[in-house]
Amino acid sequence: MPDKYSAVWVSHSSMGDFIKCPRSYYLHNMYKDPKTGHKVSIVNPHMSLGVAVHEVLEGLADFPADTRMDRDILALYDAGWKKVSGKKGGFTSDEEEAEFKARGKVMLEKVMNDPRFLVNKCIKLPQDKMPCNFYLSEEHNIILNGLVDWIEYLPDTDSLHIIDFKTGKNEEKDGSLQLPIYLLLCDALHKKRKVTKASYWYLESDKLVEKELPDIENARRDVLEIAMKVKEARDVAKRDGFEKTFVCPQGAYNPETKDGGCNNCRPYEFILNSDSLVEFVGVGGFNQDMYILKK
Ligand code: SF4
């Protein structure tokens, strides 16, 4: 029987970090503060906006399709926003917070105006305290986990439509592992029906973009290939040490001169070096120590 606790867990974001850079993967997904034993994370306004809007929209799946849009969506948003308000959401001024909150409100008003498939039947994948997950490879003890934002049920074909809500301005790049991962999660955790459609909903521009579904076997091959590289790197790190394995290809960060690396990892290097450029703002929902980057 494989042991889930010793397995390597991979997700869209952790593999994305790994593809970007090995040290980025280490800092975002493995490093734990020796004093608290917690992972660390930098919070920022864009992330908080995404969390607050996603929470409202994904929460609608708990209600029956025909009365779903009767909810007071803006009141739900106001209530949920409290969790990300202030420094713990990465906001450094009231003006900045008000600007981001207003952006989310406009997105939700557009959804209320034209809820599209949100008024149709949907399904949810089985989940306990952890995000949805399954063994991508029992042989290699690798678990793939993630959350699909919305899964519409398509009665005409008795199949599924997977949707990802986007609160950012940037379009998902071609070659992203997001849809392959969603497809694999649905295939493993909802055996009854196949996924036949996939879309990104860009909430700011209110644009729904249908994407071609990847072939399931190609999706499995591509995701496993990256996941195996992650596992191999972790195995090497266990043997040779994390700092020797997960090195920045642009040169190690120098805390004296603050040179080295790039902006992607630098805020995390500030945390590791107790730099005054970052400020601790609390412990997050996944027990991670949260910091903001001071301006
Ligand atoms: S600092 Fe930049 S280049 Fe270096 S590991 Fe991080 S993301 Fe990669």
Side-chain angles (χ1 to χ4, degrees), residues 38-41 43 47 51 55 83-84 88-89 129-131 280-291:
H38 295 165
K39 289 186 181 168
V40 296
S41 134
V43 283
M47 198 195 276
V51 167
E55 187 176 292
K83 291 185 211 157
V84 297
K88 65 180 179 296
K129 282 186 198 144
M130 304 299 291
F280 174 73
V281 290
V283 177
F286 296 104
N287 226 12
Q288 79 280 29
D289 293 338
M290 300 189 302
Y291 290 81

mmCIF file of all heavy atoms in Angstrom, residues 38-41 43 47 51 55 83-84 88-89 129-131 280-291:
data_model
loop_
_atom_site.group_PDB
_atom_site.id
_atom_site.type_symbol
_atom_site.label_atom_id
_atom_site.label_comp_id
_atom_site.label_asym_id
_atom_site.label_seq_id
_atom_site.Cartn_x
_atom_site.Cartn_y
_atom_site.Cartn_z
ATOM 1 N N HIS A 38 7.230 26.417 9.620
ATOM 2 C CA HIS A 38 6.209 26.683 8.597
ATOM 3 C C HIS A 38 6.845 26.986 7.243
ATOM 4 O O HIS A 38 7.936 27.569 7.192
ATOM 5 C CB HIS A 38 5.375 27.913 8.978
ATOM 6 C CG HIS A 38 4.564 27.741 10.214
ATOM 7 N ND1 HIS A 38 3.998 28.791 10.884
ATOM 8 C CD2 HIS A 38 4.204 26.626 10.910
ATOM 9 C CE1 HIS A 38 3.337 28.350 11.938
ATOM 10 N NE2 HIS A 38 3.457 27.043 11.985
ATOM 11 N N LYS A 39 6.099 26.650 6.185
ATOM 12 C CA LYS A 39 6.496 27.162 4.872
ATOM 13 C C LYS A 39 6.250 28.675 4.877
ATOM 14 O O LYS A 39 5.537 29.195 5.755
ATOM 15 C CB LYS A 39 5.674 26.488 3.782
ATOM 16 C CG LYS A 39 6.070 25.025 3.590
ATOM 17 C CD LYS A 39 5.364 24.414 2.428
ATOM 18 C CE LYS A 39 5.783 22.964 2.293
ATOM 19 N NZ LYS A 39 4.946 22.217 1.361
ATOM 20 N N VAL A 40 6.816 29.369 3.887
ATOM 21 C CA VAL A 40 6.668 30.825 3.859
ATOM 22 C C VAL A 40 6.021 31.251 2.539
ATOM 23 O O VAL A 40 6.132 30.538 1.538
ATOM 24 C CB VAL A 40 8.035 31.537 4.023
ATOM 25 C CG1 VAL A 40 8.623 31.245 5.390
ATOM 26 C CG2 VAL A 40 9.015 31.150 2.925
ATOM 27 N N SER A 41 5.353 32.378 2.595
ATOM 28 C CA SER A 41 4.723 32.845 1.368
ATOM 29 C C SER A 41 4.637 34.373 1.353
ATOM 30 O O SER A 41 4.500 35.001 2.402
ATOM 31 C CB SER A 41 3.361 32.157 1.265
ATOM 32 O OG SER A 41 2.363 32.997 0.928
ATOM 33 N N VAL A 43 2.451 37.454 0.221
ATOM 34 C CA VAL A 43 1.098 37.759 -0.238
ATOM 35 C C VAL A 43 1.132 39.072 -1.020
ATOM 36 O O VAL A 43 1.941 39.958 -0.727
ATOM 37 C CB VAL A 43 0.084 37.863 0.921
ATOM 38 C CG1 VAL A 43 -0.307 36.509 1.429
ATOM 39 C CG2 VAL A 43 0.589 38.737 2.054
ATOM 40 N N MET A 47 -3.027 38.367 -5.807
ATOM 41 C CA MET A 47 -3.362 37.058 -5.264
ATOM 42 C C MET A 47 -4.635 37.158 -4.416
ATOM 43 O O MET A 47 -5.545 36.343 -4.523
ATOM 44 C CB MET A 47 -2.186 36.622 -4.379
ATOM 45 C CG MET A 47 -2.110 35.166 -4.058
ATOM 46 S SD MET A 47 -0.948 35.007 -2.685
ATOM 47 C CE MET A 47 0.566 34.974 -3.517
ATOM 48 N N VAL A 51 -8.233 35.279 -4.779
ATOM 49 C CA VAL A 51 -8.784 34.414 -3.718
ATOM 50 C C VAL A 51 -10.223 34.823 -3.399
ATOM 51 O O VAL A 51 -11.131 33.992 -3.320
ATOM 52 C CB VAL A 51 -7.902 34.500 -2.441
ATOM 53 C CG1 VAL A 51 -8.600 33.893 -1.238
ATOM 54 C CG2 VAL A 51 -6.557 33.817 -2.683
ATOM 55 N N GLU A 55 -13.480 32.554 -4.285
ATOM 56 C CA GLU A 55 -14.251 31.987 -3.170
ATOM 57 C C GLU A 55 -15.754 32.189 -3.392
ATOM 58 O O GLU A 55 -16.548 31.279 -3.185
ATOM 59 C CB GLU A 55 -13.809 32.634 -1.848
ATOM 60 C CG GLU A 55 -14.457 31.961 -0.654
ATOM 61 C CD GLU A 55 -13.964 32.529 0.657
ATOM 62 O OE1 GLU A 55 -12.792 32.317 0.984
ATOM 63 O OE2 GLU A 55 -14.754 33.179 1.353
ATOM 64 N N LYS A 83 -11.277 38.493 4.920
ATOM 65 C CA LYS A 83 -10.147 37.561 5.125
ATOM 66 C C LYS A 83 -8.855 38.067 4.479
ATOM 67 O O LYS A 83 -7.766 37.637 4.847
ATOM 68 C CB LYS A 83 -10.488 36.186 4.529
ATOM 69 C CG LYS A 83 -11.571 35.461 5.274
ATOM 70 C CD LYS A 83 -11.744 34.070 4.691
ATOM 71 C CE LYS A 83 -13.184 33.636 4.828
ATOM 72 N NZ LYS A 83 -13.578 32.613 3.882
ATOM 73 N N VAL A 84 -8.996 38.914 3.469
ATOM 74 C CA VAL A 84 -7.781 39.374 2.772
ATOM 75 C C VAL A 84 -7.528 40.865 2.982
ATOM 76 O O VAL A 84 -6.616 41.440 2.390
ATOM 77 C CB VAL A 84 -7.840 39.063 1.246
ATOM 78 C CG1 VAL A 84 -7.899 37.573 0.990
ATOM 79 C CG2 VAL A 84 -9.016 39.776 0.572
ATOM 80 N N LYS A 88 -2.586 41.623 5.691
ATOM 81 C CA LYS A 88 -2.578 40.169 5.473
ATOM 82 C C LYS A 88 -2.981 39.796 4.040
ATOM 83 O O LYS A 88 -2.775 38.669 3.609
ATOM 84 C CB LYS A 88 -3.452 39.447 6.496
ATOM 85 C CG LYS A 88 -4.921 39.750 6.426
ATOM 86 C CD LYS A 88 -5.674 38.967 7.506
ATOM 87 C CE LYS A 88 -7.167 39.250 7.486
ATOM 88 N NZ LYS A 88 -7.538 40.635 7.791
ATOM 89 N N GLY A 89 -3.545 40.755 3.318
ATOM 90 C CA GLY A 89 -3.853 40.531 1.909
ATOM 91 C C GLY A 89 -2.794 41.137 1.004
ATOM 92 O O GLY A 89 -2.925 41.106 -0.220
ATOM 93 N N LYS A 129 -9.918 17.175 3.487
ATOM 94 C CA LYS A 129 -9.260 18.415 3.918
ATOM 95 C C LYS A 129 -8.219 18.878 2.903
ATOM 96 O O LYS A 129 -7.823 20.033 2.871
ATOM 97 C CB LYS A 129 -8.576 18.189 5.267
ATOM 98 C CG LYS A 129 -9.572 18.225 6.414
ATOM 99 C CD LYS A 129 -8.849 18.150 7.738
ATOM 100 C CE LYS A 129 -9.803 17.754 8.829
ATOM 101 N NZ LYS A 129 -9.219 16.896 9.837
ATOM 102 N N MET A 130 -7.720 17.929 2.115
ATOM 103 C CA MET A 130 -6.700 18.248 1.110
ATOM 104 C C MET A 130 -7.398 18.617 -0.200
ATOM 105 O O MET A 130 -8.540 18.220 -0.422
ATOM 106 C CB MET A 130 -5.799 17.030 0.854
ATOM 107 C CG MET A 130 -5.130 16.482 2.084
ATOM 108 S SD MET A 130 -4.065 17.696 2.843
ATOM 109 C CE MET A 130 -2.767 17.820 1.624
ATOM 110 N N PRO A 131 -6.692 19.339 -1.077
ATOM 111 C CA PRO A 131 -7.269 19.539 -2.417
ATOM 112 C C PRO A 131 -7.490 18.177 -3.094
ATOM 113 O O PRO A 131 -6.923 17.168 -2.665
ATOM 114 C CB PRO A 131 -6.174 20.326 -3.153
ATOM 115 C CG PRO A 131 -5.290 20.883 -2.098
ATOM 116 C CD PRO A 131 -5.391 19.970 -0.918
ATOM 117 N N PHE A 280 6.442 40.324 8.338
ATOM 118 C CA PHE A 280 5.563 39.207 8.674
ATOM 119 C C PHE A 280 4.169 39.755 8.952
ATOM 120 O O PHE A 280 4.011 40.702 9.722
ATOM 121 C CB PHE A 280 6.121 38.492 9.913
ATOM 122 C CG PHE A 280 5.223 37.406 10.426
ATOM 123 C CD1 PHE A 280 5.099 36.203 9.740
ATOM 124 C CD2 PHE A 280 4.514 37.584 11.603
ATOM 125 C CE1 PHE A 280 4.261 35.199 10.217
ATOM 126 C CE2 PHE A 280 3.686 36.576 12.089
ATOM 127 C CZ PHE A 280 3.556 35.385 11.391
ATOM 128 N N VAL A 281 3.135 39.147 8.327
ATOM 129 C CA VAL A 281 1.773 39.682 8.538
ATOM 130 C C VAL A 281 0.804 38.649 9.107
ATOM 131 O O VAL A 281 -0.365 38.918 9.294
ATOM 132 C CB VAL A 281 1.182 40.283 7.232
ATOM 133 C CG1 VAL A 281 1.916 41.554 6.863
ATOM 134 C CG2 VAL A 281 1.192 39.288 6.086
ATOM 135 N N GLY A 282 1.269 37.444 9.372
ATOM 136 C CA GLY A 282 0.373 36.463 9.992
ATOM 137 C C GLY A 282 0.594 35.058 9.436
ATOM 138 O O GLY A 282 1.415 34.851 8.544
ATOM 139 N N VAL A 283 -0.162 34.122 10.002
ATOM 140 C CA VAL A 283 -0.082 32.727 9.553
ATOM 141 C C VAL A 283 -1.320 32.447 8.710
ATOM 142 O O VAL A 283 -2.446 32.750 9.119
ATOM 143 C CB VAL A 283 0.002 31.768 10.765
ATOM 144 C CG1 VAL A 283 0.015 30.315 10.306
ATOM 145 C CG2 VAL A 283 1.252 32.069 11.587
ATOM 146 N N GLY A 284 -1.121 31.898 7.520
ATOM 147 C CA GLY A 284 -2.222 31.685 6.574
ATOM 148 C C GLY A 284 -2.965 30.375 6.818
ATOM 149 O O GLY A 284 -2.633 29.593 7.711
ATOM 150 N N GLY A 285 -3.981 30.166 5.984
ATOM 151 C CA GLY A 285 -4.871 29.009 6.129
ATOM 152 C C GLY A 285 -4.175 27.665 5.977
ATOM 153 O O GLY A 285 -4.674 26.644 6.451
ATOM 154 N N PHE A 286 -3.058 27.633 5.298
ATOM 155 C CA PHE A 286 -2.310 26.370 5.160
ATOM 156 C C PHE A 286 -1.133 26.340 6.126
ATOM 157 O O PHE A 286 -0.148 25.641 5.901
ATOM 158 C CB PHE A 286 -1.829 26.185 3.714
ATOM 159 C CG PHE A 286 -2.962 26.040 2.746
ATOM 160 C CD1 PHE A 286 -3.318 27.106 1.925
ATOM 161 C CD2 PHE A 286 -3.694 24.869 2.661
ATOM 162 C CE1 PHE A 286 -4.382 27.004 1.045
ATOM 163 C CE2 PHE A 286 -4.760 24.750 1.787
ATOM 164 C CZ PHE A 286 -5.108 25.816 0.974
ATOM 165 N N ASN A 287 -1.257 27.141 7.190
ATOM 166 C CA ASN A 287 -0.223 27.172 8.216
ATOM 167 C C ASN A 287 1.107 27.713 7.690
ATOM 168 O O ASN A 287 2.174 27.311 8.169
ATOM 169 C CB ASN A 287 -0.018 25.763 8.791
ATOM 170 C CG ASN A 287 0.036 25.806 10.298
ATOM 171 O OD1 ASN A 287 -0.302 26.823 10.899
ATOM 172 N ND2 ASN A 287 0.491 24.723 10.909
ATOM 173 N N GLN A 288 1.019 28.578 6.711
ATOM 174 C CA GLN A 288 2.255 29.147 6.172
ATOM 175 C C GLN A 288 2.474 30.544 6.756
ATOM 176 O O GLN A 288 1.500 31.259 7.003
ATOM 177 C CB GLN A 288 2.218 29.187 4.625
ATOM 178 C CG GLN A 288 1.441 30.304 3.985
ATOM 179 C CD GLN A 288 -0.064 30.065 3.952
ATOM 180 O OE1 GLN A 288 -0.623 29.396 4.802
ATOM 181 N NE2 GLN A 288 -0.710 30.654 2.958
ATOM 182 N N ASP A 289 3.718 30.909 7.002
ATOM 183 C CA ASP A 289 4.031 32.257 7.476
ATOM 184 C C ASP A 289 3.932 33.218 6.288
ATOM 185 O O ASP A 289 4.592 33.017 5.269
ATOM 186 C CB ASP A 289 5.463 32.310 8.056
ATOM 187 C CG ASP A 289 5.580 31.485 9.328
ATOM 188 O OD1 ASP A 289 4.540 31.237 9.967
ATOM 189 O OD2 ASP A 289 6.703 31.091 9.673
ATOM 190 N N MET A 290 3.087 34.231 6.451
ATOM 191 C CA MET A 290 2.844 35.140 5.331
ATOM 192 C C MET A 290 3.613 36.448 5.533
ATOM 193 O O MET A 290 3.654 36.983 6.660
ATOM 194 C CB MET A 290 1.356 35.447 5.208
ATOM 195 C CG MET A 290 0.519 34.212 4.961
ATOM 196 S SD MET A 290 -1.197 34.641 4.546
ATOM 197 C CE MET A 290 -1.684 35.581 5.967
ATOM 198 N N TYR A 291 4.170 36.935 4.456
ATOM 199 C CA TYR A 291 4.940 38.183 4.493
ATOM 200 C C TYR A 291 4.457 39.093 3.376
ATOM 201 O O TYR A 291 3.916 38.629 2.359
ATOM 202 C CB TYR A 291 6.435 37.906 4.260
ATOM 203 C CG TYR A 291 7.121 37.186 5.384
ATOM 204 C CD1 TYR A 291 7.012 35.809 5.516
ATOM 205 C CD2 TYR A 291 7.889 37.900 6.315
ATOM 206 C CE1 TYR A 291 7.653 35.138 6.559
ATOM 207 C CE2 TYR A 291 8.525 37.237 7.350
ATOM 208 C CZ TYR A 291 8.408 35.848 7.469
ATOM 209 O OH TYR A 291 9.047 35.202 8.493
#
